[in-house]
């Protein structure tokens, strides 16, 4: 079977000797007696060889007395013979192949030397060239064409041309469907890239997706948005079969959504912000990207409003599953919702009286979120700042502060008008002047105003000042300053308008140099300032009585200020004049008590001025003059 020319069986394994020292050592140790027996055998072999003077090539001792070689020596001898034989055979075949290739190369070079001698010279061996020479070998036609074959040459040529035409027609018929498909693909690609280019020209960033480099995507979100919405601002632009672009909005693409602000009066909607109409089915890609941008902005705004509403429970802000409400007054409420344009009938909403007010609040919320994005960008750009989660954006807080500020202004105006009316009914020249600075116009008004310029105007409404004149000398200025956590009140005394005069309240009842944190504290100070101002006013009336023509200064009692500085008392402590200013449910009330002599008898009498209709008609100046002039001097 080994003599067959194509033997598919694997060759028999040949004996293999040790390949290295370690393998030889392992084999020697595995033999009976170990390495010591092998060394002893080698020594005895060498001694026998010397004794016989080389007559025997090999001699074994011990158990191998027959003179046969050991297993190790046989393997080594066989392996050496096999390697030499293979090497000799390999060299012989290599030389034969080299000689055959050289003969073939020389033959082909001589064959082409007649037509292309230059190319043949580069491959022809020098020995062959010197022996045979160039152009000595060529090939000619062995069999000449017959007359019949020459007569059919034209027919065969026309047949070949016809076959070529038929093959071309077949190729054309097969290429036409491919051409139509290719044209459709080209048109679809042109339509796709045209829409993508319009999106890029509109200002949106278009790039390839990192996970899918073969797909384009558009970025319409905001880099400084909350982490929950940052990844939602990227959508793949996949091509449909007709070349249109499919905008995949992901998990947050549940239709077009907007925030809507409603004004309710006793549960009835009296104002509502407008909503845009939903996009038609044939809307352009740019419009769809803009709608997705507005939707994600509205979703983030609603998310931030809910975050902030949890911290404003003490300021009449309430949350429900579908809305956030703020009670401006017991009857008036502001409601904020996230609605879907597909579910709302935005185009048929009728106008309401407070629609402009709701629209202003909706615009203010959007501007404040943009301002918060600016602040977040600045915070991220600062060096050596620990990057933490963004804080709660103050979106509702400025609006709540605005309404509280307006409410405080209205309450103070009502209080001061009531004070002024009561004092005027007593004949005093009291007045209240309200000064409210104009709203700061941001730079670039009339052009596209930046959120950095509009933000401070929205977050800090202007402070309001009240100039309260109790008497011509006693004048106060009260400032109402709105803050994010509540209003602040500052009070200080104004100088007397008379040259060289002084404000008596500066010494008798000075206001707190620090700000008042509660409106009741400011009202308490005003209630205490009015009696002390009237006490100083009574002293000025007394000085006028003493300096009047024909008056005897010695006939007037010696008056001084009471210990509580709310009236006058004579030096005997018997007669006096007291002032009290209180605020009741019906309004403020000014009360004057006097102890004096009338018709030779000591009399205690009380006068009061209020807004409830039970007001004395006697002016306060006459009451003071009557009491001060009727008391006998000591």
């Amino acid at each position: 079977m080994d003599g067959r020319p194509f033997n598919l069986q694997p060759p028999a394994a040949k004996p293999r000797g040790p390949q290295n020292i370690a393998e030889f050592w392992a084999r020697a140790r595995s033999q009976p007696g170990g390495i010591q027996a092998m060394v002893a055998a080698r020594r005895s072999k060498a001694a026998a060889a010397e004794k016989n003077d080389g007559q025997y090539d090999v001699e074994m001792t011990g158990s191998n007395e027959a003179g046969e070689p050991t297993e190790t020596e046989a393997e080594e001898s066989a392996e050496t013979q096999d390697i030499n034989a293979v090497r000799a055979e390999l060299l012989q075949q290599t030389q034969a192949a080299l000689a055959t290739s050289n003969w073939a190369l020389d033959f082909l070079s001589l064959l082409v030397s007649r037509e292309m001698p230059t190319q043949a010279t580069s491959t022809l061996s020098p020995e062959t060239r010197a022996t045979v020479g160039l152009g000595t070998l060529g090939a000619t036609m062995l069999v000449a064409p017959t007359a019949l074959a020459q007569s059919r040459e034209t027919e065969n040529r026309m047949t070949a041309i016809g076959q070529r035409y038929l093959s071309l027609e077949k190729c054309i018929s097969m290429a036409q469907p491919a051409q139509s498909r290719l044209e459709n693909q080209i048109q679809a690609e042109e339509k796709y890239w045209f829409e993508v280019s319009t999106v890029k020209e509109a200002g949106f960033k278009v790039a390839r997706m990192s996970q899918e480099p073969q797909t384009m995507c558009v970025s319409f979100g905001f880099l400084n948005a909350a982490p929950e919405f940052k990844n939602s601002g990227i959508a793949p632009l996949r091509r449909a079969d007709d070349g249109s672009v499919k905008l995949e909005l992901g998990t947050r693409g549940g239709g077009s959504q907007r925030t809507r602000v409603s004004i309710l009066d006793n549960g009835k909607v009296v104002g509502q912000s407008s909503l845009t109409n939903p996009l038609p089915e044939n809307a352009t890609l740019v419009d769809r990207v803009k709608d997705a941008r507005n939707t994600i902005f509205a979703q983030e705004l609603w998310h931030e409003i809910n975050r902030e509403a949890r911290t404003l429970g003490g300021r009449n802000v309430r949350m429900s599953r579908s809305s956030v409400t703020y009670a401006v007054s017991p009857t008036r409420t502001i409601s904020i919702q996230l609605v879907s344009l597909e579910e709302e009938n935005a185009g048929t909403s009728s106008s309401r009286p407070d629609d402009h007010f709701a629209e202003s609040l909706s615009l203010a919320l959007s501007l404040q979120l943009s301002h918060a994005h600016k602040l977040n960008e600045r915070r991220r750009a600062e060096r050596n700042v620990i990057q933490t989660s963004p804080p709660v954006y103050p979106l509702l807080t400025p609006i709540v502060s605005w309404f509280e500020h307006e409410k405080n202004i209205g309450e103070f105006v009502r209080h001061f008008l009531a004070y002024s009316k009561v004092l005027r009914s007593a004949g005093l020249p009291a007045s209240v002047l309200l000064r409210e600075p104009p709203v700061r116009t941001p730079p670039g008004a009339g052009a596209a105003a930046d959120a950095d310029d509009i933000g401070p105007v929205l977050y800090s409404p202007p402070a309001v000042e009240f100039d309260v004149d109790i008497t011509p000398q006693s004048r106060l200025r009260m400032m109402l300053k709105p803050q994010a956590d509540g209003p602040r009140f500052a009070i200080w005394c104004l100088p007397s308008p008379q040259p060289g005069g002084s404000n008596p309240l500066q010494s008798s009842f000075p206001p707190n140099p620090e700000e008042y944190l509660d409106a009741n504290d400011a009202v308490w100070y005003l209630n205490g300032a009015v009696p002390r101002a009237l006490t100083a006013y009574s002293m000025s009336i007394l000085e006028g009585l003493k300096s009047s023509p024909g008056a005897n200064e010695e006939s007037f009692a010696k008056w001084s200020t009471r210990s509580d500085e709310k009236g006058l008392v004579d030096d005997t402590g018997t007669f006096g004049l007291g002032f009290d200013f209180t605020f009741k449910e019906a309004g403020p009330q000014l009360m004057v008590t006097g102890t004096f002599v009338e018709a030779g008898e000591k009399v205690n009498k009380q006068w009061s001025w209020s807004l409830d209709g039970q007001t004395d008609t006697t002016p306060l100046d006459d009451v003071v003059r009557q009491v001060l002039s009727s008391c006998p001097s000591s």
Side-chain angles (χ1 to χ4, degrees):
M1 192 171 182
D2 294 338
R4 294 179 182 178
F6 298 102
N7 188 6
L8 301 180
Q9 301 238 348
K14 297 180 180 180
R16 177 176 175 273
Q19 301 296 320
N20 47 42
I21 299 296
E23 188 174 353
F24 174 78
W25 187 264
R27 289 192 178 188
R29 294 182 63 184
S30 63
Q31 295 296 327
I35 191 64
Q36 292 83 3
M38 183 178 292
V39 171
R42 294 278 184 174
R43 289 178 179 176
S44 61
K45 175 183 175 182
E50 291 178 358
K51 182 178 179 180
N52 297 330
D53 195 14
Q55 293 180 4
Y56 298 99
D57 294 333
V58 179
E59 183 179 356
M60 299 300 296
T61 60
S63 61
N64 197 357
E65 295 179 354
E68 296 179 357
T70 61
E71 180 182 358
T72 303
E73 293 176 351
E75 290 179 357
E76 291 179 355
S77 177
E79 181 179 2
T80 303
Q81 294 176 2
D82 292 342
I83 292 176
N84 293 331
V86 169
R87 180 175 178 274
E89 184 180 359
L90 181 61
L91 290 175
Q92 182 180 1
Q93 293 180 0
T94 304
Q95 291 176 358
L98 180 60
T100 304
S101 62
N102 289 334
W103 294 340
L105 182 61
D106 289 343
F107 174 76
L108 293 176
S109 300
L110 285 175
L111 190 63
V112 300
S113 63
R114 178 176 296 180
E115 303 295 335
M116 294 179 290
T118 304
Q119 183 176 357
T121 304
S122 62
T123 57
L124 189 64
S125 63
E127 295 81 3
T128 305
R129 180 178 180 180
T131 305
V132 181
L134 297 177
T136 57
L137 182 64
T140 58
M141 183 180 299
L142 298 180
V143 179
T146 62
L148 180 61
Q150 291 179 355
S151 63
R152 292 181 178 178
E153 181 178 358
T154 304
E155 182 182 356
N156 294 336
R157 185 181 296 109
M158 297 302 296
T159 302
I161 292 174
Q163 289 293 333
R164 290 180 182 179
Y165 282 148
L166 291 176
S167 300
L168 288 176
E169 290 180 358
K170 185 177 180 180
C171 291
I172 292 173
S173 61
M174 295 177 61
Q176 283 179 350
Q179 177 186 1
S180 61
R181 289 195 300 268
L182 182 59
E183 290 178 353
N184 294 334
Q185 289 293 331
I186 292 175
Q187 294 176 359
E189 286 291 329
E190 288 179 353
K191 182 178 179 181
Y192 172 79
W193 287 107
F194 175 75
E195 294 190 12
V196 172
S197 63
T198 56
V199 172
K200 186 176 181 180
E201 291 174 358
F204 296 96
K205 183 179 179 181
V206 178
R208 296 186 181 273
M209 297 183 63
S210 57
Q211 298 85 358
E212 303 178 23
Q214 71 278 6
T215 305
M216 302 296 293
C217 65
V218 58
S219 175
F220 55 83
F222 305 91
L223 295 177
N224 302 299
E228 297 84 352
F229 297 89
K230 188 173 297 183
N231 296 331
S232 301
I234 301 176
L237 300 175
R238 303 191 185 278
R239 184 175 70 85
D241 295 336
D242 58 348
S244 60
V245 180
K246 295 181 180 179
L247 186 65
E248 296 185 358
L249 298 177
T251 57
R252 293 188 179 271
S256 301
Q257 294 179 325
R258 300 290 186 275
T259 54
R260 184 175 63 185
V261 179
S262 303
I263 311 298
L264 290 82
D265 195 354
N266 291 323
K268 182 180 179 181
V269 178
V270 296
Q272 202 169 67
S273 60
S274 61
L275 297 176
T276 58
N277 295 323
L279 290 178
E281 296 182 357
N282 58 348
T284 61
L285 179 61
V286 176
D287 293 336
R288 285 184 286 161
V289 173
K290 290 181 179 180
D291 182 74
R293 177 197 61 188
N294 297 336
T295 297
I296 194 174
F297 185 84
Q299 291 175 350
E300 183 184 5
L301 178 60
W302 174 248
H303 173 73
E304 296 298 335
I305 288 175
N306 279 269
R307 288 182 61 198
E308 186 185 10
R310 295 184 178 93
T311 64
L312 298 177
R315 301 179 72 173
N316 297 330
V317 177
R318 298 292 180 267
M319 291 179 56
S320 64
R321 186 174 181 179
S322 60
S323 64
V324 174
T325 59
Y326 167 62
V328 181
S329 64
T331 59
R332 196 172 182 85
T333 306
I334 298 175
S335 176
I336 305 173
Q337 294 177 316
L338 181 66
V339 298
S340 176
L341 297 183
E342 288 78 6
E343 298 177 0
E344 297 293 329
N345 194 1
T348 60
S349 60
S350 58
S351 60
R352 300 177 180 85
D354 289 341
D355 282 349
H356 65 285
F357 184 50
E359 197 71 36
S360 301
L361 292 178
S362 178
L363 180 60
L365 289 173
S366 301
L367 290 176
Q368 289 175 94
L369 181 58
S370 300
H371 182 63
H373 284 172
K374 287 284 185 178
L375 296 180
N376 192 20
E377 181 180 3
R378 291 178 182 177
R379 186 177 65 89
R380 290 172 56 247
E382 292 179 357
R383 296 182 178 179
N384 300 326
V385 176
I386 300 176
Q387 300 296 334
T388 58
S389 58
V392 177
Y393 297 146
L395 306 179
L396 291 174
T397 301
I399 296 178
V400 173
S401 299
W402 265 104
F403 282 107
E404 290 180 350
H405 182 59
E406 295 293 332
K407 181 179 179 181
N408 291 327
I409 291 176
E411 291 180 355
F412 269 84
V413 167
R414 288 192 297 269
H415 281 302
F416 289 145
L417 289 179
Y419 290 152
S420 176
K421 189 174 182 180
V422 170
L423 295 178
R424 284 182 174 275
S425 65
L428 295 173
S431 64
V432 178
L433 177 62
L434 172 63
R435 286 207 307 256
E436 184 176 5
V439 178
R440 299 185 303 274
T441 303
D450 191 5
D452 291 342
D453 302 324
I454 299 178
V457 178
L458 297 176
Y459 278 77
S460 57
V464 179
E465 296 178 354
F466 299 91
D467 288 349
V468 182
D469 293 348
I470 303 174
T471 63
Q473 291 78 23
S474 301
R475 304 172 62 231
L476 297 174
R477 174 169 292 176
M478 182 178 296
M479 177 180 288
L480 175 58
K481 299 189 294 185
Q483 300 292 337
D485 55 348
R488 299 290 186 271
F489 306 91
I491 303 175
W492 62 89
C493 297
L494 295 177
S496 176
Q498 299 178 0
S502 61
N503 193 333
L505 294 178
Q506 190 67 43
S507 58
S508 61
F509 195 59
N512 190 351
E514 298 180 356
E515 296 178 350
Y516 294 92
L517 303 180
D518 192 358
N520 295 327
D521 296 338
V523 173
W524 172 85
Y525 174 79
L526 185 61
N527 292 341
V530 171
R532 291 168 174 82
L534 296 181
T535 300
Y537 181 70
S538 300
M539 291 296 293
S540 64
I541 294 177
L542 178 61
E543 295 297 331
L545 292 175
K546 291 181 180 180
S547 60
S548 60
N552 187 4
E553 184 177 354
E554 297 179 356
S555 61
F556 292 94
K558 295 181 179 180
W559 295 93
S560 61
T561 305
R562 286 176 10 183
S563 59
D564 58 356
E565 297 181 347
K566 293 184 178 182
L568 301 177
V569 65
D570 65 346
D571 54 352
T572 62
T574 305
F575 305 100
L577 181 66
F579 302 97
D580 190 17
F581 193 81
T582 58
F583 188 81
K584 299 181 179 180
E585 295 182 359
Q589 183 180 17
L590 173 62
M591 298 182 60
V592 178
T593 57
T595 304
F596 59 98
V597 177
E598 185 178 8
E601 296 181 359
K602 181 180 179 182
V603 178
N604 292 325
K605 193 173 181 179
Q606 185 176 5
W607 296 267
S608 65
W609 293 268
S610 62
L611 300 178
D612 55 1
Q614 300 178 0
T615 302
D616 287 290
T617 58
T618 306
L620 180 63
D621 291 2
D622 295 343
V623 172
V624 173
R625 289 189 182 94
Q626 179 183 357
V627 174
L628 296 181
S629 61
S630 62
C631 296
S633 61
S634 56

